[in-house]
Amino acid sequence: MTAIERYLAPAGLDDALAALAGGNATILAGGTDLMPQINAGKVAFRPILLNIRRIPELRAVEVGQGRISIGALVTINELKDNPVIAKAVPLLAEAADHFASDQVRNMGTIGGNVANASPAGDTLVPLLVLDAEVELASATGRRSVPMAEFFTGPGRSVRRPDELITALSLPLPRLRTVSRFVKFGTRPALDISAVSIGFSATLDGGRLSDVRVAFGAVGPVPMRGRATEAVLEGAALDAAIIAKAAATAQGEVKPIDDLRASAWYRRELIHNLLGKVLSDVVSR
Amino acid sequence: MNAPQHASLIGQRIPKMDAPEKVAGKTRYIQDLNLPGQLYGLILRTERVHARIVSIDTSAAKALPGVRAVLTAADVPIHPIGVNKDNPPLKGDKVRCERDEVAAVAADSLEIAQAAIKLIKVEYEDLPPIFDPRDSIKDGAPVIHAAKPDNVAMAFDYAHGDVERGEAESDVVVEDEFTLHRVTHCCMGVSGVIADFEPVSGNLTLYSNTQVPFLHKREFAEVLGMDPSRIRIIQPPIGGGFGSKLDIYPFEPIAVYLAKATRRPVKLIFTREEEFIASPTRQPAIIRLRSGAKKDGTLTFRTVDVLLDNGGYTSWGATIPFVMMQTFSSLYRVPHCRYHTKAVYTNNPFAGSFRGYGNLQATFAIEQQMDKMADALGIEPYEFRLKNAQNAGEVTGQGMHFKTCGFQDCLETAAGRSGFVEKRKALGAAKGLSGVRRGVGMASMLHVGGGAKIYPSDGCGTILKLDDFGHVTIMTGASEIGQGSETVLAQLVCEELGVPMSAVTVVNNDTDITPWDVGVHASRTTFIAGNSAIGAARKAKDKILAAAATVSNMKAEEMDLKGGNIVRASDGEKVMPLAKMLRQLHFSDKAELVMTTNYYEPPSVHQDKGFKGDVSAAYAWATQVVEVEVDTDTGIVKLLKVWAAHDVGRVLNEMGIEGQIEGGIIMGQGYALCEDMPVVEGHLVNPAFRDYKLITAPEIPEMDISFIETMDGEGPQGAKGVGEAPSICMAAAVANAIENATGVRIASLPFTPERVYSALKGRPL
């Protein structure tokens, strides 16, 4: 049974933030995570249902000062199809193509995917390797939180109940940046990741720098692979380094057994797929 | 002399008659039907897996405004349903699996019913459960049904020949154990019923998705203590059956109890989650198979021991050993065979009937072992199969008489078109455990193709009428469940009466109108209902031509019906329009309408107590070859291509039969690769399409389908049944292909990436 007392659909951000100030509102954007969770009884509506979809500034995509800002309401299909995003951060557009189904992608938003904080969220691993920051706003102020510090557990983050995600802000990748995203599920479409891997680095003169590696669905939160990054930073990608990086990754992830895969299998996949990703980088 | 040539409709590509409505979203399924004054029914399920019911308190639910009835076992007659009569629609004393129905509500709205269900308090005392069928038959195991203290729901023993002698003659003996998992039908149309009980007349109308309306009517009468003639079953368009609607289920009598209690129509429709939890599954099975052969590749014997997980209750599905034993005894020539199967009770979800009916499980075991034996003998597996394959004219140890048999043609065609022998050799030489490997695999199957005489009659009735304008109405007992039967029946009648498809209406969904049929099962509808319809059409044709003879200068046998006209048989010259003849008959002194009836009973026999007898009027055969790619880094198996050769007797509607075969292949692919219902301590873990993995469009392989036309003498225009056949071979063929690619043989399903990867690493799952 629902306990919604008020439904609000403000057209301005300030009104939305005022409604959130009491911390007793449920935020509705695309609803593709919220509604199944409500229907399954995993989440209960708070007294205020706050529909943020009429706030135009949350849809903005802007490039400037070496960064791209992607509004929280940008849908997954817009990530895939927006030429500005595809040019600036192609990895994100590529990841969007692996995301659920067209129906879900038409409704689901990047802000919602971040807010849902699923360890298997499909945009989170690319956002991690792209060094994204989460832009948060409340009636009392604004702040930015680096993605790597945003998640605190499955479905949990540092976002306070009175805060709204307004945008994701990403530095524009440098020249000679190579990036990869691999999502592994049991079928090519409509699947939730058993594991996912993101990789980004600058490749100059055969050596890697500014290496960022991230893993999804292998721990309570989408994680940066700091030990793996350390192995790769400054290294030339040869077979020995690839093997060492793959083994390091296998050791640093912290997967669990669940319906989708065992912890053992997830570690094996991280090892084998990271090896494939790095070999692919070399071959290009 | 240039009389028009009228092409035969047989073998043409004819779109299904119900397709335009379905594609346009205009079809009204049971979900779309609402009766005036209707209430909404909802069931409280136990969620315990084995427990004694101590008490049920419904007082708060009854007090909720808008609730019209709350029923428990105490309020209804105790009349268990199911083939073993072991399943009371509402459970009174104990519950045996998580789906068990303990109470039901009828309310003014679904929301009120949902609220009321939550107000029912049930107190339980848990009983020791059984989850592994091997534990069910251990000494001292908990008893699930007091009437069956050994937990054996059904047992089957069959033998022909002398297996000890066969084993003594063998040069090679192979023994394996195969483990088959649990999957479900995933009909797009979920289960549902609307029960409309008229208190004044005492008539009960059921709007039902059943695929066996006449058996349903009879069982309903028994359960409800009613006169069967007071029960009318109307089937709205059915969104898929695949065997799931072959039984009566507790929700159906419950809806009637609610309708009787409230004197109002009650609509009860499952949610998708409920469909997963409370509709039946394919039988999980553990198959121990031991077979022998001589050095020259002649099969000598086979012994089979099968343990089936029946779940908490017994459905018709517990009789799948009938079909399994046919495959073990008769797919190949085996001189000596012994077969034992037990279906045992557990506290898992209960299994039912599913397309293929045990044959997917049996074929998975037998066709993997054929490859293993061929390797042990040093004979090419294709040659080994060909050497032992049945031929036309054969009567098997089980008494099946193969009057037509395209098995060897199927083998040759599938192998030839795929280049199987050369490919298998080349890919096998390169097999290995690293990188991406390719392999091919083959499997064949035997299934009934001319009905199955299980019930006292395997027949079907047809009533046919022509109106004054030459329009034909076919009233048939055979239900349409999406398989395309109404189109093929119309086509067969059009062929006889020389009228276009647009001149036919098929009525097939109302037991007050249509004559009896045993139901949609055993791939029988085209064969049985088709022969019945042809018979009715021929009677009409005889009547029309006899009348034409009285008004022309020709004898009846010199004329024919073509293109909507009565024509001269020798050259197709028009004699008179059919409609004109019909009006002359009607509005003359004769005053006759052309209306005919026909009941077709196939010339098959019931099996004797030893399960021997020619149970079907025809038998279908198929060979499927698959090519797969195995990524040894992840365990992903990609199905690249399927070559399917099917003995279908004769192609009637090429578009329809292609659809059946393509759909069956994909269903078999899902069984082989990804569909699974993990049950942990009696609870289904994945009751949603998010986690129950059906095949999606990108995974569907290229298909090369060949029809072997053996022109069966008893079949309608020579056709055999084909509904179940295409799903049967896939799992076995994929298993053999994985072995060809990697050298690793996997004896359990499904071949999910993790299972395959674990097997490649030699790690037990």
Side-chain angles (χ1 to χ4, degrees):
Chain A
M1 288 292 103
T2 59
I4 301 170
E5 290 163 14
R6 293 176 72 199
Y7 169 74
L8 300 174
L13 182 59
D14 289 344
D15 291 340
L17 296 179
L20 272 177
N24 60 350
T26 302
I27 300 167
L28 171 68
T32 56
D33 278 316
L34 178 67
M35 290 315 297
Q37 289 168 6
I38 294 278
N39 289 337
K42 289 178 187 162
V43 170
F45 280 123
R46 295 192 178 126
I48 298 172
L49 179 61
L50 178 64
N51 178 356
I52 58 168
R53 290 166 57 186
R54 295 184 189 170
I55 305 171
E57 58 197 285
L58 297 182
R59 295 189 183 278
V61 176
E62 286 160 359
V63 176
Q65 285 155 0
R67 299 185 74 84
I68 179 169
S69 170
I70 301 172
L73 282 183
V74 169
T75 67
I76 307 303
N77 261 344
E78 285 164 0
L79 287 183
K80 188 165 76 70
D81 299 332
N82 183 316
V84 176
I85 294 171
K87 183 162 177 283
V89 278
L91 190 66
L92 203 50
E94 188 194 325
D97 198 26
H98 294 275
F99 198 106
S101 64
D102 260 325
Q103 290 90 334
V104 171
R105 297 197 290 230
N106 280 336
M107 294 302 290
T109 64
I110 188 168
N113 201 228
V114 172
N116 191 49
S118 162
D122 279 326
T123 68
L124 307 185
V125 163
L127 287 171
L128 273 169
V129 297
L130 294 168
D131 235 2
E133 296 195 354
V134 185
E135 303 287 339
L136 294 163
S138 70
T140 56
R142 292 185 174 238
R143 61 175 177 145
S144 294
V145 179
M147 276 294 278
E149 294 162 24
F150 183 73
F151 302 108
T152 55
R156 294 198 307 275
S157 68
V158 300
R159 184 181 68 84
R160 299 190 310 262
D162 67 332
E163 282 180 314
L164 183 68
I165 297 173
T166 56
L168 280 301
S169 168
L170 294 73
L172 293 175
R174 300 180 199 172
L175 283 178
R176 288 184 289 282
T177 293
V178 289
S179 57
R180 295 286 186 276
F181 174 70
V182 177
K183 172 180 173 174
F184 180 85
T186 56
R187 62 185 176 196
L190 273 173
D191 209 357
I192 295 171
S193 304
V195 305
S196 61
I197 299 176
F199 171 83
S200 170
T202 305
L203 185 59
D204 207 351
R207 289 200 177 268
L208 297 174
S209 60
D210 195 19
V211 177
R212 287 176 231 138
V213 177
F215 304 113
V218 287
V221 298
M223 60 181 282
R224 282 281 288 271
R226 305 286 186 188
T228 309
E229 289 173 1
V231 170
L232 293 168
E233 188 67 37
L237 270 184
D238 57 22
I241 282 291
I242 291 175
K244 190 176 173 194
T248 304
Q250 186 173 19
E252 79 170 312
V253 296
K254 298 192 171 45
I256 54 163
D257 291 328
D258 68 13
L259 175 63
R260 281 180 261 284
S262 70
W264 170 81
Y265 181 54
R266 285 191 160 106
R267 284 183 193 275
E268 293 283 308
L269 287 172
I270 289 292
H271 176 274
N272 296 348
L273 294 175
L274 184 64
K276 277 190 179 186
V277 164
L278 297 176
S279 302
D280 184 58
V281 167
V282 174
S283 71
R284 296 296 159 91
Chain B
M1 282 307 289
N2 285 325
Q5 292 298 306
H6 295 284
S8 167
L9 286 171
I10 304 305
Q12 298 295 311
R13 302 184 66 81
I14 298 175
K16 285 184 187 177
M17 295 165 82
D18 57 0
E21 276 203 341
K22 284 185 173 167
V23 171
K26 297 293 181 196
T27 303
R28 286 188 192 161
Y29 296 96
I30 194 164
Q31 285 79 1
D32 306 311
L33 282 184
N34 294 298
L35 299 185
Q38 147 194 304
L39 299 173
Y40 295 83
L42 200 61
I43 292 169
L44 174 67
R45 299 183 186 281
T46 171
E47 297 176 4
R48 302 294 178 105
V49 294
H50 198 198
R52 196 173 69 79
I53 298 173
V54 177
S55 67
I56 307 178
D57 178 2
T58 59
S59 54
K62 282 178 175 159
L64 190 70
V67 171
R68 303 295 168 180
V70 183
L71 300 179
T72 68
D75 306 307
V76 300
I78 295 175
H79 200 300
I81 58 175
V83 67
N84 267 9
K85 303 285 174 233
D86 59 5
N87 192 359
L90 283 163
K91 278 63 177 174
D93 55 344
K94 65 185 273 190
V95 292
R96 298 174 180 86
C97 61
E98 71 164 332
R99 59 167 289 175
D100 271 11
E101 301 80 4
V102 292
V105 171
D108 291 348
S109 73
L110 196 54
E111 289 72 19
I112 294 171
Q114 286 163 343
I117 283 289
K118 288 186 183 148
L119 296 173
I120 300 172
K121 304 241 179 319
V122 188
E123 197 187 329
Y124 295 101
E125 181 186 298
D126 283 321
L127 297 168
I130 307 175
F131 304 123
D132 185 331
R134 285 169 290 213
D135 293 339
S136 299
I137 44 178
K138 284 184 182 158
D139 286 343
V143 174
I144 294 176
H145 287 273
K148 300 273 185 183
D150 60 358
N151 287 330
V152 177
M154 282 195 181
F156 298 80
D157 282 285
Y158 164 81
H160 71 249
D162 173 356
V163 290
E164 280 72 26
R165 201 183 110 201
E167 179 143 6
E169 290 169 4
S170 303
D171 296 311
V172 165
V173 173
V174 176
E175 182 168 341
D176 296 287
E177 189 172 283
F178 300 94
T179 308
L180 288 306
H181 63 313
R182 186 182 278 107
V183 297
T184 191
H185 312 73
C186 300
C187 300
M188 289 296 104
V190 292
S191 305
V193 67
I194 303 174
D196 186 13
F197 186 78
E198 295 160 39
V200 179
S201 64
N203 289 341
L204 172 65
T205 303
L206 287 168
Y207 298 85
S208 163
N209 281 338
T210 181
Q211 55 189 94
V212 287
F214 294 93
L215 300 193
H216 232 59
K217 175 169 163 157
R218 189 193 147 126
E219 193 171 352
F220 261 112
E222 257 178 59
V223 172
L224 303 168
M226 281 182 72
D227 173 359
S229 59
R230 294 266 155 231
I231 300 177
R232 176 183 188 185
I233 295 180
I234 295 173
Q235 298 149 287
I238 296 170
F242 307 111
S244 70
K245 297 165 173 85
L246 204 55
D247 275 276
I248 191 166
Y249 296 106
F251 78 89
E252 296 163 300
I254 286 172
V256 179
Y257 296 147
L258 291 170
K260 277 185 116 167
T262 58
R263 303 191 153 215
R264 284 167 66 174
V266 172
K267 179 174 184 174
L268 198 161
I269 307 282
F270 279 10
T271 61
R272 178 57 67 184
E273 185 181 354
E274 203 171 18
E275 183 79 5
F276 271 109
I277 290 171
S279 61
T281 72
R282 196 183 287 288
Q283 276 74 10
I286 301 167
I287 301 175
R288 182 157 281 279
L289 177 62
R290 184 175 168 85
S291 309
K294 293 181 186 169
K295 270 186 200 140
D296 68 356
T298 312
L299 285 171
T300 47
F301 79 98
R302 195 165 264 149
T303 58
V304 196
D305 200 342
V306 183
L307 189 62
L308 295 175
D309 182 350
N310 207 39
Y313 302 95
T314 312
S315 83
W316 271 108
T319 65
I320 65 164
F322 281 124
V323 174
M324 298 178 95
M325 75 174 79
Q326 291 172 1
T327 291
F328 288 118
S329 76
S330 304
L331 171 60
Y332 297 102
R333 290 189 302 275
V334 187
H336 311 288
C337 179
R338 191 167 62 211
Y339 170 90
H340 172 73
T341 297
K342 276 191 190 76
V344 301
Y345 288 117
T346 64
N347 297 111
N348 292 325
F350 89 86
S353 316
F354 196 165
R355 188 183 198 178
Y357 214 75
N359 213 347
L360 283 76
Q361 296 95 317
T363 300
F364 181 72
I366 222 168
E367 284 293 81
Q368 282 213 66
Q369 199 173 65
M370 286 298 281
D371 261 30
K372 271 187 78 172
M373 292 180 79
D375 288 345
L377 289 160
I379 302 176
E380 212 295 315
Y382 163 70
E383 298 293 340
F384 181 48
R385 287 182 171 87
L386 203 56
K387 184 176 179 71
N388 291 285
Q390 298 285 3
N391 249 324
E394 207 92 32
V395 179
T396 76
Q398 210 185 336
M400 301 157 83
H401 181 191
F402 303 135
K403 294 167 206 87
T404 56
C405 172
F407 187 11
Q408 300 202 357
D409 282 343
C410 289
L411 276 165
E412 284 165 13
T413 304
R417 293 186 69 86
S418 61
F420 175 77
V421 173
E422 306 75 32
K423 256 189 188 158
R424 184 176 187 277
K425 198 173 162 199
L427 295 170
K431 74 173 73 166
L433 292 172
S434 63
V436 176
R437 302 287 174 167
R438 277 194 182 201
V440 290
M442 168 183 277
S444 299
M445 74 97 224
L446 152 69
H447 205 76
V448 292
K453 200 156 281 182
I454 306 300
Y455 204 73
S457 164
D458 191 28
C460 175
T462 305
I463 301 170
L464 187 144
K465 73 174 178 100
L466 282 90
D467 72 7
D468 297 332
F469 314 102
H471 190 85
V472 185
T473 303
I474 306 165
M475 286 156 268
T476 175
S479 304
E480 169 71 48
I481 61 168
Q483 81 278 45
S485 68
E486 69 180 7
T487 307
V488 94
L489 296 181
Q491 196 185 343
L492 289 167
V493 166
C494 288
E495 185 73 4
E496 296 298 325
L497 298 181
V499 295
M501 290 291 286
S502 58
V504 180
T505 302
V506 181
V507 176
N508 54 5
N509 66 344
D510 185 340
T511 56
D512 269 9
I513 296 171
T514 62
W516 193 89
D517 174 72
V518 77
V520 179
H521 72 106
S523 306
R524 65 185 283 284
T525 299
T526 292
F527 194 100
I528 308 286
N531 273 330
S532 178
I534 288 175
R538 286 188 182 154
K539 287 179 185 175
K541 182 175 179 177
D542 288 349
K543 194 166 178 179
I544 294 160
L545 295 184
T550 66
V551 297
S552 72
N553 54 5
M554 276 182 279
K555 294 177 186 163
E557 55 271 27
E558 291 168 346
M559 289 179 284
D560 202 353
L561 298 175
K562 297 278 183 202
N565 293 310
I566 297 164
V567 300
R568 191 158 60 204
S570 58
D571 59 2
E573 188 67 27
K574 179 175 166 181
V575 178
M576 67 189 297
L578 170 63
K580 189 177 172 193
M581 183 71 249
L582 291 167
R583 288 194 292 273
Q584 278 192 17
L585 260 176
H586 185 184
F587 302 113
S588 68
D589 293 345
K590 280 190 181 164
E592 275 192 71
L593 286 176
V594 178
M595 300 181 289
T596 64
T597 67
N598 190 45
Y599 187 71
Y600 173 76
E601 180 71 37
S604 47
V605 299
H606 291 101
Q607 290 178 339
D608 63 19
K609 283 184 179 160
F611 302 111
K612 289 178 185 171
D614 194 21
V615 72
S616 183
Y619 297 90
W621 303 87
T623 299
Q624 294 179 351
V625 171
V626 302
E627 183 164 354
V628 304
E629 195 174 84
V630 183
D631 182 342
T632 61
D633 285 332
T634 59
I636 282 192
V637 177
K638 202 168 155 189
L639 184 58
L640 301 174
K641 186 161 180 181
V642 179
W643 292 265
H646 282 256
D647 172 5
V648 300
R650 186 180 184 189
V651 175
L652 298 179
N653 179 359
E654 192 178 70
M655 198 185 279
I657 203 165
E658 275 177 9
Q660 281 278 39
I661 291 177
E662 289 165 359
I665 284 172
I666 296 163
M667 195 172 248
Q669 180 187 3
Y671 184 62
L673 293 181
C674 52
E675 290 183 47
D676 194 11
M677 303 177 88
V679 171
V680 176
E681 300 201 325
H683 296 284
L684 179 64
V685 178
N686 59 341
F689 280 128
R690 187 187 62 190
D691 297 316
Y692 184 96
K693 308 285 184 186
L694 284 174
I695 294 291
T696 55
E699 294 141 279
I700 294 174
E702 186 184 347
M703 298 182 200
D704 176 292
I705 298 169
S706 303
F707 303 112
I708 308 300
E709 297 196 300
T710 48
M711 302 300 290
D712 192 84
E714 183 62 26
Q717 296 280 0
K720 299 178 181 182
V722 72
E724 294 167 279
S727 62
I728 291 168
C729 299
M730 287 299 295
V734 171
N736 289 337
I738 293 172
E739 195 283 331
N740 185 227
T742 65
V744 175
R745 185 163 285 292
I746 310 176
S748 59
L749 283 174
F751 300 134
T752 55
E754 182 163 357
R755 182 182 301 271
V756 171
Y757 186 81
S758 299
L760 298 180
K761 296 283 168 189
R763 188 176 191 266
L765 255 188

